[in-house]
Amino acid sequence: MTPGLPMVVPEPGLPERVTIYEVGPRDGLQNEQALVPVAVKAELVQRLVAAGLPVVEATSFVHPRWVPQLADAEELMTILGEAGRRHPVLVPNERGLDRALALGLQHVAIFGSATETFAQKNLNRTLETQLAMFEPTVRRARDAGMDVRAYVSMCFGDPWEGPVDPRQVVDVGRRLLDLGASQLSLGDTIGVGTAGQVTALVQAFRDAGVDEGRLAMHFHDTYGQALTNTHAALRAGITTFDASAGGLGGCPYAKSATGNLATEDLVWMLTGLGIEHGVDLGALVATSTWLAGELGRPSPSAVVRALA
Amino acid sequence: MTPGLPMVVPEPGLPERVTIYEVGPRDGLQNEQALVPVAVKAELVQRLVAAGLPVVEATSFVHPRWVPQLADAEELMTILGEAGRRHPVLVPNERGLDRALALGLQHVAIFGSATETFAQKNLNRTLETQLAMFEPTVRRARDAGMDVRAYVSMCFGDPWEGPVDPRQVVDVGRRLLDLGASQLSLGDTIGVGTAGQVTALVQAFRDAGVDEGRLAMHFHDTYGQALTNTHAALRAGITTFDASAGGLGGCPYAKSATGNLATEDLVWMLTGLGIEHGVDLGALVATSTWLAGELGRPSPSAVVRALA
């Protein structure tokens, strides 16, 4: 047991390696009330890359009126320069895509809902018009040679509708793949899901002919289940997991906590299980500790608190 | 999905029911600096019982100089009265046992170490003299018709020795069972363990002829792994889990956090998996919320924060 790292005891039947898709700079920072300087954001992205994270979603080309925190998206991507082109960015619609195209970016992500009510509450659209809106966005992105990821939110429970039928998630997911998305990120947006639901949802996709290699999982820790659900997903063959450095985006004492799974807690488990991930945990913890100082409050990540 | 409860999706191969062994009043409160009034402790125990927890460890008959917080052990057990006799209490040695015997209690627990260094640091004894000290304590308790549980600490990692060989844990555990303990509570005292270690440790006991029915798991969330390790233990056939209401005993922002697994987070997972546990989550959350008010700081449990 190296100091600061767990003992390695592999578990049979798990993947040999996984891809951690880091969402902190976008999904984490978008929930920050106080504006974070663009130089801090750029340093965050660069340090995450230096810590070995293979994919770092950098920002969102959302309208600044909706998310003032990310109004500096162009400025950030310009600072990141040539090396920054490989970072995925969120584009809510064609106007967002236009901004990504203008900067020559290579990867975009769209953000959809699995449920009718959340589509209407969050996007002010029906599920059908949501999918209709994505069609030209994805088509034009693909025509420009971009890779497109599709987030699907409320895959496990919906605050208005309650339980979400896996068949509905599969239906929305397949249509997004048919439009041209290369990967689905299945989100437990309100964090209510438990391990059996995860296994069942992966199986439902498999039954519909969608290979688990095209699925990523995006868990929130609102009810403390994020890492356990990740473990269940690993057992179901999933190899891509969204996580947020230092648990960024979750406020530990607010009911509205989005509570993203902390990348460090995920890395601790993967390391212990002997699963390759490529991340230098010490460098990552140092990054989250530095950012916590910039934000003026401690990280909610258990590993960051234990090691910092 | 009932409001405040997860959707139920069972997972094949898990136990149908588990026993939650509630340690908050003892293992949680012993870490509190400010003295908690004995009336609050009594109300806590009674509310936990009313919420459906089948076993509630009430206090420790440790010398008051070591743990001033629990100097009111006799007073607490007297308030709990006849109904309180079934609650387990910790007895560090024969003097503690004498106090439990004087009150006519029926269940005691002893607290040992799996490692040589922790035995010396925590108990000021070698492993051998630790076991020698337990011999008359357990024998006399059993002679008096008491049930004896044995905690084994540092089963997954030790802050001085690093990784702990499962064979050493099995050796210490078997000797405690041979002395007359009915159940072992295997503790990840510093919270470093990951899921593969859990599976391997249960298997090591099974290889040595110890049935998993005699094992309980006591996980700490210091590195965020407690619930995931619980899930791994469930898969390995374990059916008794220690947990602490509201995550009592863990200070979310201290490096020294003991970080007991929060009972509420465990209940959420078990409910979602369709595993019987007998606990009324709403009543439990109300209890932890009330206690947080008495202690003057929020609960670290994710479920308590989400539902309170």
Side-chain angles (χ1 to χ4, degrees), chain A residues 165-231:
Chain A
D165 189 330
R167 287 171 300 187
Q168 180 171 344
V169 182
V170 171
D171 179 55
V172 171
R174 284 191 66 175
R175 292 177 68 181
L176 289 165
L177 291 173
D178 289 346
L179 287 180
S182 62
Q183 182 180 65
L184 302 175
S185 170
L186 305 175
D188 184 6
T189 315
I190 57 172
V192 294
T194 49
Q197 273 187 281
V198 175
T199 312
L201 184 58
V202 176
Q203 187 59 49
F205 270 101
R206 214 179 269 133
D207 291 345
V210 178
D211 185 82
E212 62 268 21
R214 301 192 71 180
L215 306 177
M217 290 288 168
H218 184 107
F219 292 121
H220 282 196
D221 211 30
T222 321
Y223 293 80
Q225 310 296 311
L227 196 64
T228 305
N229 291 348
T230 300
H231 186 243

Coordinates of all heavy atoms in Angstrom, one line a residue, chain A residues 165-231:
Chain A
D165 N -39.1 4.5 -16.8 CA -39.1 3.2 -17.4 C -37.8 3.0 -18.3 O -37.6 3.9 -19.2 CB -40.3 3.0 -18.3 CG -40.5 1.6 -18.8 OD1 -39.5 0.9 -19.0 OD2 -41.7 1.2 -19.0
P166 N -37.0 2.0 -18.1 CA -35.8 1.8 -18.9 C -36.1 1.8 -20.4 O -35.3 2.3 -21.2 CB -35.3 0.4 -18.5 CG -35.8 0.2 -17.1 CD -37.1 1.0 -17.0
R167 N -37.3 1.3 -20.8 CA -37.6 1.3 -22.2 C -37.7 2.7 -22.8 O -37.4 2.9 -24.0 CB -39.0 0.6 -22.4 CG -38.8 -1.0 -22.2 CD -40.2 -1.6 -22.2 NE -41.0 -1.1 -21.1 CZ -42.2 -1.6 -20.8 NH1 -42.7 -2.6 -21.5 NH2 -42.9 -1.1 -19.8
Q168 N -38.2 3.7 -21.9 CA -38.2 5.0 -22.4 C -36.8 5.6 -22.6 O -36.5 6.3 -23.6 CB -39.0 5.9 -21.4 CG -39.1 7.3 -21.9 CD -40.0 8.2 -21.1 OE1 -40.9 7.6 -20.3 NE2 -39.9 9.5 -21.2
V169 N -35.9 5.3 -21.7 CA -34.5 5.7 -21.8 C -33.9 5.1 -23.1 O -33.2 5.8 -23.9 CB -33.7 5.3 -20.6 CG1 -32.3 5.9 -20.7 CG2 -34.4 5.9 -19.3
V170 N -34.1 3.8 -23.3 CA -33.6 3.2 -24.5 C -34.1 3.8 -25.7 O -33.4 4.0 -26.7 CB -33.9 1.6 -24.4 CG1 -33.6 1.0 -25.7 CG2 -33.2 1.0 -23.2
D171 N -35.4 4.1 -25.7 CA -36.0 4.7 -26.9 C -35.4 6.0 -27.3 O -35.0 6.3 -28.4 CB -37.5 4.9 -26.7 CG -38.2 5.5 -27.9 OD1 -38.1 4.9 -29.0 OD2 -38.9 6.5 -27.7
V172 N -35.3 6.9 -26.3 CA -34.6 8.2 -26.5 C -33.2 8.0 -26.9 O -32.7 8.6 -27.8 CB -34.8 9.1 -25.3 CG1 -33.9 10.4 -25.4 CG2 -36.2 9.5 -25.0
G173 N -32.5 7.1 -26.2 CA -31.1 6.9 -26.5 C -30.8 6.4 -27.9 O -29.9 6.9 -28.6
R174 N -31.7 5.4 -28.3 CA -31.5 4.9 -29.6 C -31.7 6.0 -30.7 O -31.0 6.0 -31.7 CB -32.4 3.7 -29.9 CG -32.0 2.5 -29.2 CD -32.8 1.3 -29.7 NE -32.5 1.0 -31.1 CZ -33.1 -0.1 -31.7 NH1 -33.9 -0.9 -31.1 NH2 -32.8 -0.3 -33.0
R175 N -32.7 6.8 -30.5 CA -32.9 7.9 -31.5 C -31.7 8.8 -31.5 O -31.4 9.3 -32.6 CB -34.2 8.6 -31.1 CG -35.4 7.6 -31.4 CD -36.7 8.2 -31.0 NE -37.1 9.3 -31.9 CZ -38.2 10.0 -31.7 NH1 -39.1 9.7 -30.7 NH2 -38.6 10.9 -32.6
L176 N -31.1 9.1 -30.4 CA -29.9 10.0 -30.4 C -28.8 9.3 -31.1 O -28.0 10.0 -31.8 CB -29.6 10.4 -29.0 CG -30.6 11.3 -28.3 CD1 -30.3 11.4 -26.8 CD2 -30.5 12.7 -28.9
L177 N -28.6 8.0 -30.9 CA -27.6 7.3 -31.6 C -27.9 7.3 -33.1 O -26.9 7.5 -33.9 CB -27.4 5.9 -31.1 CG -26.9 5.7 -29.7 CD1 -27.0 4.3 -29.2 CD2 -25.4 6.2 -29.6
D178 N -29.1 7.1 -33.5 CA -29.5 7.1 -34.9 C -29.2 8.4 -35.5 O -28.9 8.5 -36.7 CB -31.0 6.7 -35.0 CG -31.3 5.2 -34.7 OD1 -30.3 4.5 -34.6 OD2 -32.4 4.9 -34.5
L179 N -29.4 9.5 -34.7 CA -29.1 10.9 -35.3 C -27.6 11.0 -35.6 O -27.2 11.8 -36.5 CB -29.5 12.0 -34.3 CG -31.0 12.2 -34.1 CD1 -31.2 13.4 -33.1 CD2 -31.7 12.6 -35.5
G180 N -26.8 10.2 -35.0 CA -25.3 10.3 -35.3 C -24.4 10.5 -34.0 O -23.2 10.7 -34.2
A181 N -25.0 10.4 -32.8 CA -24.2 10.5 -31.6 C -23.4 9.2 -31.5 O -23.8 8.1 -31.9 CB -25.0 10.7 -30.4
S182 N -22.1 9.4 -31.1 CA -21.3 8.2 -31.0 C -21.4 7.5 -29.6 O -21.1 6.4 -29.4 CB -19.8 8.6 -31.2 OG -19.4 9.5 -30.2
Q183 N -21.8 8.3 -28.6 CA -21.8 7.8 -27.2 C -23.0 8.5 -26.5 O -23.3 9.7 -26.7 CB -20.5 8.1 -26.5 CG -20.5 7.6 -25.1 CD -19.1 7.9 -24.4 OE1 -18.8 9.1 -24.2 NE2 -18.3 6.9 -24.2
L184 N -23.6 7.7 -25.7 CA -24.7 8.2 -24.8 C -24.1 8.3 -23.4 O -23.5 7.3 -22.9 CB -25.9 7.3 -24.7 CG -26.6 7.0 -26.0 CD1 -27.7 6.0 -25.8 CD2 -27.2 8.3 -26.6
S185 N -24.3 9.4 -22.7 CA -24.0 9.5 -21.3 C -25.3 9.5 -20.5 O -26.1 10.4 -20.5 CB -23.2 10.8 -21.0 OG -23.1 11.0 -19.6
L186 N -25.5 8.4 -19.8 CA -26.8 8.2 -19.1 C -26.7 8.8 -17.7 O -26.0 8.3 -16.9 CB -27.1 6.7 -19.1 CG -27.1 5.9 -20.4 CD1 -27.3 4.4 -20.2 CD2 -28.2 6.5 -21.3
G187 N -27.5 9.8 -17.5 CA -27.4 10.5 -16.2 C -28.4 10.2 -15.2 O -29.6 10.1 -15.5
D188 N -28.0 10.0 -14.0 CA -28.9 9.9 -12.8 C -28.9 11.3 -12.2 O -28.3 11.6 -11.2 CB -28.5 8.9 -11.8 CG -29.5 8.7 -10.7 OD1 -30.6 9.3 -10.8 OD2 -29.2 8.0 -9.7
T189 N -29.6 12.2 -12.9 CA -29.5 13.6 -12.6 C -29.9 14.0 -11.2 O -29.3 14.9 -10.6 CB -30.4 14.4 -13.6 OG1 -30.2 13.8 -14.9 CG2 -30.1 15.9 -13.6
I190 N -30.8 13.3 -10.6 CA -31.2 13.6 -9.2 C -30.7 12.5 -8.2 O -31.0 12.6 -7.0 CB -32.8 13.7 -9.1 CG1 -33.5 12.5 -9.5 CG2 -33.2 15.0 -9.8 CD1 -35.0 12.5 -9.2
G191 N -29.9 11.6 -8.7 CA -29.1 10.7 -7.8 C -29.9 9.7 -7.1 O -29.4 9.2 -6.1
V192 N -31.1 9.4 -7.5 CA -31.9 8.5 -6.7 C -31.7 7.0 -7.0 O -32.2 6.1 -6.3 CB -33.5 8.8 -6.9 CG1 -33.8 10.1 -6.4 CG2 -33.8 8.7 -8.4
G193 N -31.0 6.7 -8.2 CA -30.9 5.3 -8.6 C -30.1 4.4 -7.7 O -29.2 4.9 -7.0
T194 N -30.4 3.1 -7.7 CA -29.6 2.2 -7.0 C -29.1 1.1 -7.9 O -29.4 1.1 -9.1 CB -30.4 1.6 -5.8 OG1 -31.6 1.1 -6.3 CG2 -30.6 2.6 -4.7
A195 N -28.2 0.2 -7.4 CA -27.4 -0.7 -8.2 C -28.2 -1.6 -9.1 O -27.9 -1.8 -10.3 CB -26.5 -1.5 -7.3
G196 N -29.4 -2.1 -8.7 CA -30.2 -2.9 -9.5 C -30.7 -2.2 -10.7 O -30.8 -2.8 -11.8
Q197 N -31.0 -0.9 -10.6 CA -31.5 -0.2 -11.7 C -30.5 0.0 -12.8 O -30.7 0.0 -14.0 CB -31.9 1.3 -11.2 CG -33.3 1.4 -10.7 CD -33.6 2.9 -10.5 OE1 -33.2 3.4 -9.4 NE2 -34.3 3.5 -11.4
V198 N -29.2 0.1 -12.3 CA -28.1 0.3 -13.3 C -28.0 -0.9 -14.1 O -27.9 -0.9 -15.4 CB -26.8 0.6 -12.5 CG1 -25.6 0.7 -13.4 CG2 -26.9 1.9 -11.7
T199 N -27.9 -2.1 -13.5 CA -27.8 -3.3 -14.2 C -28.9 -3.5 -15.2 O -28.7 -3.9 -16.3 CB -27.8 -4.5 -13.1 OG1 -26.9 -4.2 -12.1 CG2 -27.4 -5.8 -13.8
A200 N -30.2 -3.2 -14.7 CA -31.3 -3.4 -15.6 C -31.3 -2.4 -16.8 O -31.7 -2.8 -17.9 CB -32.6 -3.1 -14.7
L201 N -30.8 -1.2 -16.6 CA -30.8 -0.3 -17.7 C -29.8 -0.7 -18.7 O -30.0 -0.6 -19.9 CB -30.5 1.2 -17.2 CG -30.5 2.2 -18.3 CD1 -31.9 2.3 -18.9 CD2 -30.2 3.6 -17.7
V202 N -28.6 -1.1 -18.3 CA -27.6 -1.6 -19.3 C -28.2 -2.8 -20.1 O -28.0 -2.9 -21.3 CB -26.3 -2.0 -18.6 CG1 -25.3 -2.6 -19.6 CG2 -25.7 -0.8 -17.9
Q203 N -28.8 -3.7 -19.3 CA -29.4 -4.9 -20.0 C -30.5 -4.5 -21.0 O -30.6 -5.0 -22.1 CB -30.0 -5.8 -18.9 CG -30.5 -7.1 -19.5 CD -29.3 -7.9 -20.2 OE1 -28.2 -8.1 -19.6 NE2 -29.5 -8.4 -21.4
A204 N -31.3 -3.4 -20.6 CA -32.3 -3.0 -21.6 C -31.7 -2.5 -22.9 O -32.2 -2.7 -24.0 CB -33.2 -1.9 -20.9
F205 N -30.6 -1.7 -22.7 CA -29.9 -1.3 -24.0 C -29.4 -2.5 -24.8 O -29.5 -2.5 -26.0 CB -28.8 -0.3 -23.6 CG -29.2 1.1 -23.6 CD1 -29.5 1.7 -22.3 CD2 -29.4 1.9 -24.7 CE1 -29.9 3.1 -22.3 CE2 -29.8 3.2 -24.7 CZ -30.1 3.8 -23.4
R206 N -28.8 -3.4 -24.1 CA -28.3 -4.6 -24.7 C -29.4 -5.3 -25.5 O -29.2 -5.7 -26.6 CB -27.6 -5.5 -23.7 CG -26.4 -6.2 -24.2 CD -25.7 -7.0 -23.1 NE -24.7 -6.3 -22.4 CZ -24.7 -6.3 -21.0 NH1 -25.5 -6.9 -20.3 NH2 -23.7 -5.6 -20.4
D207 N -30.5 -5.5 -24.8 CA -31.6 -6.2 -25.4 C -32.1 -5.4 -26.7 O -32.7 -6.1 -27.6 CB -32.8 -6.2 -24.5 CG -32.5 -7.2 -23.3 OD1 -31.6 -8.0 -23.4 OD2 -33.3 -7.1 -22.3
A208 N -31.9 -4.1 -26.7 CA -32.3 -3.3 -27.9 C -31.2 -3.2 -28.9 O -31.3 -2.5 -29.9 CB -32.7 -1.9 -27.4
G209 N -30.1 -4.0 -28.7 CA -29.0 -4.0 -29.7 C -28.0 -3.0 -29.6 O -27.2 -2.8 -30.5
V210 N -28.0 -2.2 -28.4 CA -27.0 -1.2 -28.2 C -25.9 -1.8 -27.3 O -26.1 -2.2 -26.2 CB -27.6 0.1 -27.6 CG1 -26.5 1.1 -27.3 CG2 -28.7 0.6 -28.4
D211 N -24.7 -1.8 -27.9 CA -23.6 -2.4 -27.1 C -23.2 -1.5 -26.0 O -23.3 -0.2 -26.1 CB -22.4 -2.5 -28.1 CG -21.2 -3.2 -27.5 OD1 -21.2 -4.4 -27.4 OD2 -20.3 -2.5 -27.0
E212 N -22.8 -2.1 -24.8 CA -22.4 -1.3 -23.7 C -21.2 -0.4 -23.9 O -21.0 0.6 -23.2 CB -22.2 -2.1 -22.4 CG -21.0 -3.1 -22.6 CD -21.5 -4.5 -23.1 OE1 -22.5 -4.6 -23.7 OE2 -20.7 -5.5 -22.9
G213 N -20.4 -0.7 -25.0 CA -19.3 0.2 -25.3 C -19.7 1.6 -25.8 O -18.9 2.5 -25.8
R214 N -21.0 1.7 -26.1 CA -21.5 3.1 -26.6 C -22.1 3.8 -25.4 O -22.6 4.9 -25.6 CB -22.5 2.9 -27.7 CG -21.8 2.2 -28.9 CD -22.6 2.3 -30.2 NE -22.7 3.7 -30.7 CZ -23.3 4.0 -31.8 NH1 -24.0 3.1 -32.4 NH2 -23.3 5.2 -32.3
L215 N -22.1 3.2 -24.2 CA -22.7 3.9 -23.1 C -21.7 4.4 -22.1 O -20.7 3.7 -21.8 CB -23.7 2.9 -22.4 CG -24.7 2.2 -23.2 CD1 -25.5 1.2 -22.3 CD2 -25.7 3.2 -23.8
A216 N -21.9 5.6 -21.6 CA -21.2 6.1 -20.4 C -22.2 6.3 -19.3 O -23.4 6.4 -19.5 CB -20.5 7.4 -20.8
M217 N -21.7 6.3 -18.1 CA -22.6 6.5 -16.9 C -22.2 7.9 -16.2 O -21.0 8.2 -16.1 CB -22.5 5.4 -15.9 CG -23.1 4.1 -16.4 SD -24.9 4.2 -16.5 CE -25.3 2.7 -17.4
H218 N -23.3 8.6 -15.9 CA -23.1 9.9 -15.2 C -23.9 9.9 -13.9 O -25.1 10.1 -13.9 CB -23.6 11.0 -16.2 CG -23.3 12.4 -15.8 ND1 -22.4 13.2 -16.3 CD2 -24.0 13.1 -14.8 CE1 -22.4 14.4 -15.7 NE2 -23.4 14.4 -14.8
F219 N -23.2 9.6 -12.8 CA -23.9 9.4 -11.6 C -23.7 10.6 -10.7 O -22.7 11.3 -10.6 CB -23.4 8.2 -10.8 CG -23.8 6.9 -11.5 CD1 -22.8 6.0 -11.9 CD2 -25.1 6.6 -11.7 CE1 -23.2 4.8 -12.6 CE2 -25.5 5.4 -12.4 CZ -24.5 4.5 -12.8
H220 N -24.8 11.0 -9.9 CA -24.7 12.0 -8.9 C -24.9 11.4 -7.6 O -25.6 10.4 -7.4 CB -25.9 13.0 -9.2 CG -25.6 14.0 -10.3 ND1 -26.3 15.1 -10.5 CD2 -24.6 13.9 -11.3 CE1 -25.8 15.8 -11.5 NE2 -24.8 15.0 -12.0
D221 N -24.2 12.0 -6.6 CA -24.1 11.4 -5.3 C -25.1 11.9 -4.3 O -25.0 11.8 -3.1 CB -22.7 11.6 -4.7 CG -22.2 10.5 -3.8 OD1 -22.7 9.4 -4.0 OD2 -21.5 10.8 -2.9
T222 N -26.2 12.5 -4.8 CA -27.2 13.1 -3.9 C -27.7 12.2 -2.8 O -28.0 12.7 -1.7 CB -28.4 13.5 -4.8 OG1 -27.9 14.0 -6.1 CG2 -29.3 14.6 -4.1
Y223 N -27.8 10.9 -3.1 CA -28.3 10.0 -2.0 C -27.1 9.0 -1.7 O -27.4 7.9 -1.2 CB -29.5 9.2 -2.5 CG -30.7 10.1 -2.6 CD1 -30.9 10.9 -3.7 CD2 -31.7 10.2 -1.6 CE1 -32.0 11.8 -3.8 CE2 -32.7 11.1 -1.6 CZ -32.9 11.9 -2.7 OH -34.0 12.7 -2.8
G224 N -25.9 9.4 -2.0 CA -24.7 8.6 -1.6 C -24.5 7.3 -2.4 O -23.7 6.5 -2.1
Q225 N -25.1 7.2 -3.6 CA -25.1 6.0 -4.4 C -24.2 6.0 -5.5 O -24.0 5.0 -6.2 CB -26.5 5.7 -4.9 CG -27.6 5.7 -3.8 CD -27.5 4.7 -2.7 OE1 -27.3 3.5 -3.0 NE2 -27.5 5.1 -1.5
A226 N -23.5 7.1 -5.8 CA -22.8 7.3 -7.1 C -21.7 6.2 -7.3 O -21.6 5.6 -8.4 CB -22.2 8.7 -7.2
L227 N -20.9 6.0 -6.3 CA -19.8 5.1 -6.5 C -20.3 3.6 -6.5 O -19.7 2.8 -7.3 CB -18.7 5.3 -5.4 CG -17.4 4.6 -5.7 CD1 -16.7 5.3 -6.9 CD2 -16.4 4.7 -4.5
T228 N -21.2 3.3 -5.7 CA -21.8 1.9 -5.7 C -22.4 1.7 -7.1 O -22.3 0.6 -7.7 CB -22.8 1.8 -4.6 OG1 -22.2 2.2 -3.4 CG2 -23.3 0.4 -4.5
N229 N -23.1 2.7 -7.6 CA -23.7 2.5 -8.9 C -22.7 2.3 -10.0 O -22.9 1.6 -11.0 CB -24.7 3.6 -9.3 CG -25.9 3.6 -8.4 OD1 -26.2 2.6 -7.7 ND2 -26.7 4.7 -8.3
T230 N -21.6 3.0 -9.8 CA -20.4 2.9 -10.8 C -19.9 1.5 -10.7 O -19.6 0.8 -11.8 CB -19.3 3.9 -10.4 OG1 -19.8 5.2 -10.4 CG2 -18.1 3.7 -11.3
H231 N -19.8 0.9 -9.5 CA -19.3 -0.4 -9.4 C -20.3 -1.4 -10.1 O -19.8 -2.4 -10.7 CB -19.2 -0.8 -7.9 CG -18.5 -2.1 -7.6 ND1 -19.2 -3.1 -6.9 CD2 -17.3 -2.6 -7.8 CE1 -18.4 -4.1 -6.8 NE2 -17.3 -3.9 -7.3

